[in-house]
Amino acid sequence: MKQAKVLNDIEIRKLLKVCELTRYKERNRLVVMLSFLSGMRAVEIANLRVSNVISDTNEVLDLIVLNKEQTKGNKRQTVVVSKQLKKEIMRFIAKFPNILKNKNGFLLKTQKGNFNSQTIQNLFRQLFELANIQQASSHSGRRTFITKLSENGVAVAVIQKLARHSSLATTQRYIEVSDDKLINAVNGINV
């Protein structure tokens, strides 16, 4: 099975620029950032509730705790929120403060109502098409997140926890290794 494309920094910037040109630019940007900055799956993004990300005191939480109905595999999962992702969520909430009135409501909505996994996948497909990025899918953000963690020297066991994989072998399949990375690796060894 062909894996989703891992995006480079130029492609990510291009994708974010495309979001700015869309009708729901703030929402679309947050969908992209949730995927690329936390490795969230389409189903998890679609099922996010305001209460998953915002505390009772209206602060962005450090951890997003998803119940089993919100995840793949029917298991409760915890997503770590980076400083950059916190800023993205705060930016979105600042633009749409009425979201805070219903903490049990969905964080992200479509024009017709609530997202589901398929509508998130369709949104990514449209954004990648507009950005002219080939072979990318809703899973590209997740693969990019995991690959970047590896490139930054994060231990595979830590990446496994952040990716919420039960198997280390699954995590390793997500990490892309290019020829450039191999060359850089061997060039880092001096005798």
Side-chain angles (χ1 to χ4, degrees), residues 24-188:
Y24 302 103
K25 60 185 177 183
E26 294 89 358
R27 179 204 67 190
N28 294 346
R29 178 183 174 93
L30 184 57
V31 167
V32 167
M33 296 306 254
L34 285 163
S35 180
F36 281 82
L37 292 176
S38 72
M40 289 183 76
R41 298 172 176 95
V43 67
E44 295 166 342
I45 295 169
N47 288 318
L48 268 181
R49 304 281 183 160
V50 175
S51 60
N52 293 130
V53 297
I54 303 294
S55 72
D56 292 338
T57 58
N58 292 336
E59 301 294 324
V60 178
L61 298 167
D62 293 324
L63 301 171
I64 295 172
V65 178
L66 300 170
N67 65 42
K68 66 182 185 174
E69 292 81 21
Q70 294 174 287
T71 66
K72 176 186 174 190
N74 267 343
K75 285 200 285 190
R76 186 172 183 255
Q77 300 282 352
T78 301
V79 178
V80 178
V81 180
S82 69
K83 289 178 185 174
Q84 185 180 0
L85 184 53
K86 272 188 174 190
K87 287 179 187 174
E88 294 291 336
I89 294 168
M90 287 189 298
R91 175 182 171 180
F92 183 77
I93 298 295
K95 183 75 176 173
F96 303 103
N98 285 343
I99 289 173
L100 297 175
K101 290 180 181 177
N102 181 8
K103 294 274 176 89
N104 292 321
F106 287 96
L107 179 66
L108 302 161
K109 295 182 181 229
T110 69
Q111 187 177 7
K112 296 177 183 175
N114 300 328
F115 274 108
N116 61 42
S117 182
Q118 189 60 56
T119 53
I120 292 285
Q121 292 171 42
N122 293 344
L123 174 60
F124 271 108
R125 190 176 306 112
Q126 291 168 355
L127 293 173
F128 287 128
E129 196 173 292
L130 287 170
N132 198 26
I133 298 171
Q134 307 299 313
Q135 296 162 344
S137 74
S138 61
H139 228 56
S140 291
R142 186 166 170 75
R143 282 203 70 222
T144 302
F145 171 75
I146 291 168
T147 297
K148 283 185 170 282
L149 288 170
S150 175
E151 289 172 353
N152 289 337
V154 176
V156 180
V158 174
I159 297 172
Q160 177 188 359
K161 292 283 188 195
L162 291 170
R164 300 169 318 281
H165 286 147
S166 56
S167 163
L168 191 58
T170 302
T171 303
Q172 290 172 319
R173 284 195 308 269
Y174 273 70
I175 299 170
E176 182 175 283
V177 180
S178 67
D179 290 343
D180 288 343
K181 291 172 190 156
L182 294 172
I183 291 167
N184 289 339
V186 297
N187 283 334

